[in-house]
Amino acid sequence: MEDNSGHDDSTARVNDSSIAGGISRRLLMKGAAALGAGSLVSTSSVSAAEEGQQEESTLAEAPPMGWNSWNTFACDVSAALIKETADAIVESGMKAAGYEYVNIDDCWMTEERDEDGNLQPDPEKFPNGIDAVADYVHDRGLKLGIYESAGTTTCGGYPGSLGHEERDAQAFADWGVDYLKYDNCGDHYGLSAVERYTRMHEALEATDREIVLSICEWGNNDPWLWGHEVGGSLWRTTGDIKPLWTVDEDTWYHGVIDIVDMNEPLAAHAGPDHWNDPDMLEVGVDIDGYPGLTATEDRTHFGLWAMMAAPLIAGNDVRNMSEQTREILTNEAVIAIDQDPAGKQGRRIKNTDGADGTEVWMKPLANGDRAVALLNRGERTRPILTSAREVGFDVESAYIARDLWAGTVTATAGMIGASVPAHGHKLYRVERGQSDDAVPAALLSINTDEPTVVPGEARDLTVTFTNHAPSALETVSVTLDAPDGWESEPATATFHDVAAAPSIEGASGPENDAEVDWMVRPPQGIGSGEYELAVSAEFAGRPVSTTVDLTVDAA
């Protein structure tokens, strides 16, 4: 969506996009409406660069947390929905976990302003107005957000705020609004993004109410370079997210992993009250036309948003969410990574095998701990390994790794690793020292030279157990679970006296590794396809497991 007007904005240092109609983001844009705006106010606003650094705001010291109506309900928004959602946020434990904003997205207003130029809430959707909804939300200890656009129309074709900034900002303040998502649709009349977003910031500042300004400019004009200077506490860095892992074709919307790749390089621009916003959460979102995310992908989505210090704005129907979705959204240990007071956005520090490979992410935390994510972008379970040194620690003799999803605490001499399923991740909080509650850290992996086998043919698998703990293990029992009808030998394997792991400088070696070759054979007559084999190890009262897929070719 490039601007062809030739307008050059030296403050933003990039061309502004003038979007009017045809926005694939909403598929609702009314083409004629983009030309029906009223007259503009004076263009007296000047850039933040010319005025000097804006006074520091403290409205969003941590990434905002809340809920937004768009991802699930689109234009089907109403006072009843917002009130029911506010109740559900309280009753589900989301409020206790830190969610505070209940945000009304597009389509809340009538298609025309009134005769005095005022925005009018749709009387059928909001019969008692926005202020009555705000009162209801505030009575539950939450805050209300609303939506508008920095153009002549919203993305749904409703009246935009360009030329009406002061009037609209005062209305929001009078209604009791606490958060404004400010979009980028409609005709911009040649004004730059910096000018348009500065206008709304100044209008909000002129009210007597503190209102968070969320810049939803889609990253078209690099808002991470100027967003905070024009009053934004957060800014969208990408086009819209959809409940997909990835999008193969070139579209304006993106899957989770596509957005991760666009947002990760911007880490240097994030911090308290100036957050990169990779868009709202798709955890638990179930809408027509999209397959949705798996439970594994939902956790990865949430975990990576936490690693990126992203705003956590849920987009699902929280009134009817599953227990699985609720547990993901309210995982306090993961949320603490997102909300960490250091305000650092995590970075990818290692990538193996490119777009479908494995990654290691690290985020430094305020108390000196490190958040570490092991990400598997590929289609098969993979072992992923890093070290305390690699994630930024000095050499110590022992570390504690807390698995923030499983709730387990492991002791390691410095290596941090796991067998990670396809599209999955492991998320750890790693600290120096020892704990009486920690169990030994270990990694179980399976290797095969040839993942394809024909019916009745034997295939050898090498199962490796690696002790990462600072103490030796006396006994490790390993079992393999094959599909029904498959042969496997041995039935079980036992390792004795597996040595303690080497120091942080070292790697796996014969002392702390134990291996066994396992023969598996699919039966005659079995059909073609992929078959999963699972291996588990039991030691010191702790299990670890992994899987491998073998492809049977019965042709």
Side-chain angles (χ1 to χ4, degrees), residues 95-136:
K95 177 190 173 187
Y99 294 84
E100 62 175 338
Y101 293 101
V102 185
N103 296 342
I104 307 168
D105 209 281
D106 205 351
C107 312
W108 58 266
M109 68 195 87
T110 59
E111 294 186 358
E112 301 290 340
R113 293 175 179 269
D114 70 10
E115 61 185 11
D116 295 321
N118 298 310
L119 293 171
Q120 296 295 297
D122 186 312
E124 294 185 3
K125 297 177 178 179
F126 296 89
N128 297 313
I130 300 298
D131 51 347
V133 177
D135 289 343
Y136 190 94

Side-chain angles (χ1 to χ4, degrees), residues 101-281:
Y101 293 101
V102 185
N103 296 342
I104 307 168
D105 209 281
D106 205 351
C107 312
W108 58 266
M109 68 195 87
T110 59
E111 294 186 358
E112 301 290 340
R113 293 175 179 269
D114 70 10
E115 61 185 11
D116 295 321
N118 298 310
L119 293 171
Q120 296 295 297
D122 186 312
E124 294 185 3
K125 297 177 178 179
F126 296 89
N128 297 313
I130 300 298
D131 51 347
V133 177
D135 289 343
Y136 190 94
V137 169
H138 292 155
D139 285 347
R140 278 140 190 82
L142 301 169
K143 298 179 180 180
L144 185 73
I146 207 163
Y147 166 98
E148 248 297 352
S149 184
T152 54
T153 63
T154 70
C155 297
Y158 294 85
S161 284
L162 185 61
H164 302 272
E165 290 88 352
E166 293 181 5
R167 182 183 299 272
D168 293 352
Q170 191 58 56
F172 301 151
D174 292 343
W175 293 341
V177 168
D178 305 290
Y179 182 110
L180 173 62
K181 176 183 173 182
Y182 204 38
D183 217 330
N184 197 36
C185 281
D187 195 329
H188 300 158
Y189 284 156
L191 298 177
S192 74
V194 170
E195 291 174 292
R196 291 180 290 111
Y197 285 94
T198 297
R199 284 183 173 196
M200 181 53 78
H201 165 62
E202 292 175 347
L204 293 172
E205 286 286 293
T207 72
D208 292 330
R209 188 170 187 83
E210 290 188 335
I211 300 176
V212 172
L213 177 58
S214 171
I215 296 174
C216 184
E217 187 266 358
W218 320 318
N220 285 2
N221 295 282
D222 299 348
W224 45 89
L225 299 179
W226 49 264
H228 192 47
E229 293 180 349
V230 303
S233 293
L234 60 155
W235 41 80
R236 279 275 297 280
T237 56
T238 71
D240 277 12
I241 193 172
K242 294 295 180 184
L244 300 164
W245 178 251
T246 187
V247 177
D248 293 332
E249 63 268 23
D250 185 15
T251 63
W252 196 79
Y253 59 86
H254 312 287
V256 167
I257 207 68
D258 310 318
I259 284 182
V260 167
D261 288 341
M262 290 183 278
N263 193 69
E264 188 274 338
L266 306 176
H269 302 286
D273 203 49
H274 53 98
W275 307 105
N276 292 320
D277 178 8
D279 206 0
M280 299 169 288
L281 294 166

Side-chain angles (χ1 to χ4, degrees), residues 8 24 78 117 223 274 296 427 432 486 515:
D8 178 64
S24 60
S78 67
H274 53 98
T296 295
L427 184 57
R432 300 177 180 88
W486 288 54
E515 291 186 353

Side-chain angles (χ1 to χ4, degrees), residues 66-69 73 77-96 99-104 126 132-145 178 314 316-321:
W67 174 89
N68 179 284
S69 60
F73 299 99
V77 64
S78 67
L81 171 65
I82 300 306
K83 291 178 179 180
E84 291 169 7
T85 297
D87 289 339
I89 287 173
V90 174
E91 294 164 3
S92 67
M94 289 180 68
K95 177 190 173 187
Y99 294 84
E100 62 175 338
Y101 293 101
V102 185
N103 296 342
I104 307 168
F126 296 89
V133 177
D135 289 343
Y136 190 94
V137 169
H138 292 155
D139 285 347
R140 278 140 190 82
L142 301 169
K143 298 179 180 180
L144 185 73
D178 305 290
N316 61 310
D317 184 353
V318 300
R319 305 168 305 169
N320 299 298
M321 63 181 161

Side-chain angles (χ1 to χ4, degrees), residues 335-353:
I335 290 171
I337 300 302
D338 178 79
Q339 299 284 295
D340 185 75
K344 301 291 186 182
Q345 178 173 321
R347 297 173 181 266
R348 179 191 293 122
I349 62 171
K350 184 164 68 174
N351 174 274
T352 305
D353 298 333

